[in-house]
Amino acid sequence: MEKTSRQQFEFKAEMKQLLHLIVNSLYTNPEVFLRELVSNASDALNKVRFLQVTGEKVQSPKLPLHIKIEVDEKEQTFSIEDTGIGMTFDDLTGRLGTVASSGTMEFLQQLKDGKNRLDGNMIGQFGVGFYSAFMVADQITVETRHANADETAWIWVSDGKGTYEIEESSRTERGTRISFRLKDDHKEFARAERIRQLIRKYSNFVDFSIEVNGEEVNSRGAVWHKNKKDVTDEERNEFYKFISNDFQEPLDHLHLAMEGRINFKALIFVPKKAKPDFFRVENLKSLQLYSNRVFVQESCEALLPEYLRFVEGVVDSEDLPLNVSREVTQHSPVMARIREVLVNKIIGMIEYWAESEPEKFHTFYEEFGPLFKSGLNSDFANRDRIIELLRFQSTQTVDELVSLKAYVERMPESQKAIYYLSGDSLEELKRDPKLEYFRKKNIEVLLLADPVDAFVVPGIGSYKEKPLKSIEKADLDLEDDPEEEKESGRVSGEALDRLLAVFREEAGGRLEDVVASKRLVDSAVTLTIGKEGLDSHLERMMKMMDQDTGPSRRVLEVNPSHPVIRNMSRLQNAGSDETVRLMARQLYDGARLLQGELESPGEFVARMTRVMELATK
Ligand code: ADP
Ligand code: MG
């Protein structure tokens, strides 16, 4: 693009909406703009420091790394200047002018639907922290020069309403200066003392000098390097908000100082709530990596397995070389050992909650359970610990969840397996006819409504030597009920065989088998899974993801005590073949309908009408 003296650009449509919201919605504390601007300046300084320690050439190399804020109460002006990395023309148009995260768009939609309201504190989460300054100013000027000496310096000006202008600047020093005149409502931020107070509150630990009207304010020091006892809760929580952009306090934290075989410090937090765009794997961030206080990487993948990437925080190790490339960090033995310790400590914290802080555990499990559970399929070293931390709904719980341990402890001695059923929702599961037998016998069944459970639970195999079994499987080893066998009117023997044969024919070879059911009490038929088959719920999910699961192997179970089945047997003996066929077909299709596997509801309804016609003759 030709860079003429002055150009006007338009913000993207969604950016305009967002700006409008930021400026006009209910924001509870406009003061967060300061935290956002200081945070950006600190990021920019971190980047330059990294370039310098790794021997890269930068523009104005002698310039100290610092942040200077100037306010003028009379003029009602504010400016913040850093000697950081600066911005190129492309940064100004591509980063300052766009919405970074997809979560932002979803959040906007929720705002429009009235499901959520905007809080000034939330802004940083959406990667639009810079724009929070439009809460306090009508027009903002950004003057910047990139650390790469070949880049031109630029001035960017916008009223935050729809357009911005860019022109060349004569700035020679590396860094960025952001300046504006405060709106009358917010002239308090032109008072040096007010700004100093806010810096002490929000940004005390920023590792670069921050001056306000020539006076250094912050105490400067990496929080994680301090002795645990010397860090106040407030200081730690502010640090958390600073690095995570969260507006709430964290659920809990770990402050580690490891010495000996491996040396590192870490300050790690578990948020109370997942971020709006959390559940896209590509949005999962790992921990920040520092090497002896020098920022190295924003999200160091090698530090954490994916299933623990709900935590936020920093790891600082002197044992790592500074110029670590991503490839090196992936394979470094030091990194592997740090990771091992972190995983151990984080799981240890969760175990502690499960044991002693049930409320924390519950909050964690609700928010991050699905991600955490996926560790069962990837972290084999910690598998047993993760299994102990699983919790489920069951036929015997109402609000609280049950662990496998509790399940096994309360099951009767005669019970041979741990039973479960998976499906789309708890309500649907509770209505499933396959539960009838278990209800009657008072056997607890775990109800797996979380999609992740369907993927991880079958893989557990067994727990304390009790196999985990889906009650969908036809080969369940259920006890016979001698009383039922004797029950009068129950279809049995040759009559039963003849009736089952009709079902077999009507299913047209789609079934692995048709058998007399031991588990049905109130329902006439149900579909179960053959020996080799996957859970039907899992199979449906795999199909949704376009995964070929091969042909389904279903077994139809027929309840010989059910009035409809008994009547069908009677009709068959009396020679009403057509009616029996019609009903068999209808029952089979009804079971498929319940299972979400019926392709042609039209036929089903037509047949139902025919059955009703016969019944009302
Ligand atoms: P985020 O910090 O989450 O990326 P912001 O809206 O705060 O979102 O900033 C957007 C982008 O603008 C930053 O990612 C960075 O590229 C650029 N930026 C903002 N302020 C500065 C600064 N002081 N120095 C260099 N780049 C900056
Ligand atoms: Mg920012």
Side-chain angles (χ1 to χ4, degrees):
M1 186 184 293
E2 195 195 337
K3 292 158 193 175
T4 48
S5 63
R6 187 179 198 150
Q7 291 182 68
Q8 201 185 54
F9 299 86
E10 217 169 312
F11 289 121
K12 292 218 179 92
E14 65 264 23
M15 199 62 228
K16 282 191 216 164
Q17 282 178 22
L18 193 67
L19 286 170
H20 184 81
L21 276 168
I22 290 170
V23 181
N24 297 298
S25 298
L26 294 166
Y27 40 84
T28 48
N29 35 350
E31 66 194 42
V32 296
F33 90 90
L34 187 61
R35 182 174 77 193
E36 297 298 335
L37 295 184
V38 170
S39 145
N40 286 348
S42 163
D43 289 349
L45 288 162
N46 268 328
K47 287 177 190 158
V48 168
R49 178 152 68 180
F50 182 68
L51 289 180
Q52 286 184 319
V53 291
T54 51
E56 300 273 334
K57 271 215 196 84
V58 296
Q59 170 76 7
S60 341
K62 298 253 155 61
L63 210 56
L65 299 175
H66 61 206
I67 299 170
K68 289 190 172 188
I69 296 174
E70 296 279 342
V71 288
D72 186 321
E73 226 180 319
K74 260 219 289 334
E75 299 292 320
Q76 228 167 288
T77 55
F78 174 99
S79 73
I80 176 168
E81 179 161 21
D82 64 66
T83 50
I85 187 99
M87 282 177 270
T88 62
F89 182 85
D90 289 345
D91 289 338
L92 287 170
T93 52
R95 293 185 186 229
L96 272 185
T98 53
V99 183
S101 79
S102 51
T104 311
M105 297 321 300
E106 275 160 38
F107 184 75
L108 267 182
Q109 196 53 47
Q110 287 179 2
L111 279 178
K112 271 200 239 150
D113 302 345
K115 285 198 206 105
N116 225 326
R117 62 177 261 281
L118 190 71
D119 176 332
N121 269 322
M122 296 176 172
I123 282 166
Q125 274 191 55
F126 303 113
V128 288
F130 166 76
Y131 286 95
S132 59
F134 282 111
M135 293 193 290
V136 298
D138 287 319
Q139 178 177 293
I140 298 178
T141 302
V142 179
E143 191 167 8
T144 186
R145 184 179 186 107
H146 196 263
N148 180 344
D150 299 336
E151 294 283 346
T152 321
W154 301 101
I155 297 186
W156 176 105
V157 183
S158 176
D159 61 2
K161 292 219 168 66
T163 59
Y164 55 94
E165 283 175 1
I166 300 182
E167 70 182 305
E168 282 196 28
S169 139
S170 55
R171 185 186 171 97
T172 52
E173 284 187 347
R174 176 196 77 222
T176 302
R177 180 172 187 273
I178 296 169
S179 56
F180 42 82
R181 189 174 174 280
L182 290 153
K183 292 180 189 176
D184 290 345
D185 291 358
H186 299 299
K187 59 178 181 217
E188 57 173 297
F189 300 118
R191 274 178 36 232
E193 215 22 65
R194 174 79 173 118
I195 296 295
R196 287 195 189 103
Q197 177 209 348
L198 288 173
I199 300 275
R200 273 182 230 114
K201 177 174 167 196
Y202 288 132
S203 317
N204 204 21
F205 39 76
V206 169
D207 208 16
F208 304 96
S209 154
I210 306 178
E211 284 178 15
V212 177
N213 286 8
E215 202 182 295
E216 182 169 317
V217 226
N218 58 329
S219 59
R220 257 205 278 175
V223 201
W224 59 90
H225 266 278
K226 290 193 185 172
N227 200 317
K228 223 192 275 199
K229 291 183 216 78
D230 300 335
V231 184
T232 64
D233 289 349
E234 202 192 352
E235 193 179 359
R236 199 188 318 104
N237 288 344
E238 283 309 330
F239 174 68
Y240 164 70
K241 291 179 188 172
F242 186 79
I243 56 160
S244 69
N245 284 326
D246 198 346
F247 56 96
Q248 292 190 77
E249 283 173 7
L251 183 66
D252 209 340
H253 73 275
L254 282 172
H255 191 156
L256 307 174
M258 311 301 292
E259 266 169 43
R261 196 168 71 99
I262 179 107
N263 300 291
F264 72 91
K265 297 194 162 58
L267 189 47
I268 293 171
F269 301 89
V270 179
K272 280 198 181 120
K273 269 197 97 51
K275 287 185 183 177
D277 52 5
F278 178 72
F279 283 101
R280 289 160 209 267
V281 176
E282 67 272 19
N283 286 333
L284 288 177
K285 280 213 285 179
S286 186
L287 298 166
Q288 293 183 1
L289 178 66
Y290 281 73
S291 172
N292 202 12
R293 292 166 204 251
V294 176
F295 174 83
V296 179
Q297 247 181 59
E298 173 65 29
S299 168
C300 180
E301 310 234 306
L303 280 173
L304 277 184
E306 209 163 88
Y307 77 101
L308 294 181
R309 296 212 185 138
F310 50 84
V311 301
E312 303 259 4
V314 301
V315 171
D316 189 337
S317 176
E318 295 159 34
D319 295 350
L320 288 166
L322 243 183
N323 53 349
V324 276
S325 69
R326 266 166 215 269
E327 290 68 38
V328 173
T329 54
Q330 296 290 359
H331 298 112
S332 129
V334 176
M335 195 61 105
R337 258 182 283 151
I338 297 179
R339 175 178 163 129
E340 198 180 307
V341 175
L342 291 176
V343 169
N344 180 33
K345 294 280 181 185
I346 295 170
I347 297 180
M349 169 166 57
I350 302 170
E351 287 167 341
Y352 175 76
W353 296 336
E355 193 66 21
S356 317
E357 301 205 53
E359 258 170 55
K360 271 190 193 168
F361 181 78
H362 193 79
T363 308
F364 157 76
Y365 205 76
E366 286 274 295
E367 280 304 304
F368 303 111
L371 180 65
F372 178 69
K373 282 186 273 194
S374 71
L376 264 185
N377 289 351
S378 56
D379 186 353
F380 299 103
N382 289 297
R383 207 175 131 77
D384 290 343
R385 293 173 79 186
I386 301 174
I387 288 176
E388 289 295 344
L389 290 166
L390 298 176
R391 297 292 182 274
F392 304 98
Q393 304 274 0
S394 92
T395 47
Q396 245 130 90
T397 57
V398 188
D399 284 328
E400 86 279 30
L401 300 170
V402 61
S403 63
L404 289 176
K405 185 158 172 247
Y407 180 103
V408 168
E409 273 167 10
R410 69 191 181 205
M411 74 194 224
E413 227 174 286
S414 59
Q415 191 179 330
K416 299 185 198 95
I418 298 168
Y419 296 110
Y420 67 87
L421 179 64
S422 59
D424 289 332
S425 74
L426 203 56
E427 285 63 45
E428 211 174 280
L429 285 169
K430 283 182 176 160
R431 279 198 304 264
D432 198 303
K434 292 180 204 70
L435 288 172
E436 289 167 6
Y437 171 90
F438 296 88
R439 285 232 170 80
K440 196 171 113 190
K441 299 271 169 174
N442 213 12
I443 299 174
E444 182 166 20
V445 177
L446 302 174
L447 303 174
L448 316 185
D450 177 355
V452 176
D453 285 338
F455 283 100
V456 299
V457 171
I460 295 176
S462 64
Y463 175 81
K464 301 218 160 137
E465 281 150 42
K466 306 281 181 193
L468 273 84
K469 287 201 164 174
S470 163
I471 66 165
E472 275 195 289
K473 300 268 172 162
D475 66 338
L476 271 189
D477 191 9
L478 301 177
E479 272 174 72
D480 290 328
D481 192 331
E483 263 171 54
E484 231 168 59
E485 296 287 333
K486 277 186 272 147
E487 187 194 341
S488 67
R490 185 186 154 96
V491 185
S492 61
E494 209 192 311
L496 180 62
D497 290 344
R498 260 191 291 140
L499 189 58
L500 295 185
V502 175
F503 275 100
R504 232 168 257 133
E505 280 166 38
E506 283 305 309
R510 263 172 301 197
L511 292 171
E512 186 175 295
D513 204 358
V514 177
V515 298
S517 181
K518 287 177 186 170
R519 73 179 92 204
L520 291 175
V521 179
D522 301 318
S523 302
V525 299
T526 191
L527 276 171
T528 57
I529 312 292
K531 284 197 186 63
E532 307 299 322
L534 294 168
D535 280 13
S536 57
H537 178 60
L538 182 58
E539 189 180 286
R540 246 177 299 139
M541 286 197 296
M542 309 256 295
K543 284 213 176 100
M544 263 173 356
M545 294 184 299
D546 280 336
Q547 301 231 13
D548 187 13
T549 55
S552 312
R553 304 298 284 158
R554 296 272 184 272
V555 173
L556 184 72
E557 295 196 11
V558 176
N559 178 0
S561 310
H562 196 278
V564 168
I565 303 300
R566 298 200 314 220
N567 290 346
M568 282 170 75
S569 181
R570 195 169 36 75
L571 284 171
Q572 193 177 31
N573 288 337
S576 302
D577 242 23
E578 200 225 315
T579 314
V580 173
R581 280 186 188 285
L582 197 65
M583 291 171 76
R585 185 62 205 266
Q586 193 65 355
L587 286 170
Y588 169 57
D589 275 4
R592 288 165 73 202
L593 179 68
L594 274 184
Q595 210 67 242
E597 290 169 9
L598 185 70
E599 307 95 24
S600 53
E603 248 178 68
F604 180 76
V605 172
R607 209 179 309 110
M608 184 177 72
T609 313
R610 174 85 184 113
V611 172
M612 287 162 82
E613 190 188 322
L614 287 172
T616 50
K617 215 159 47 183

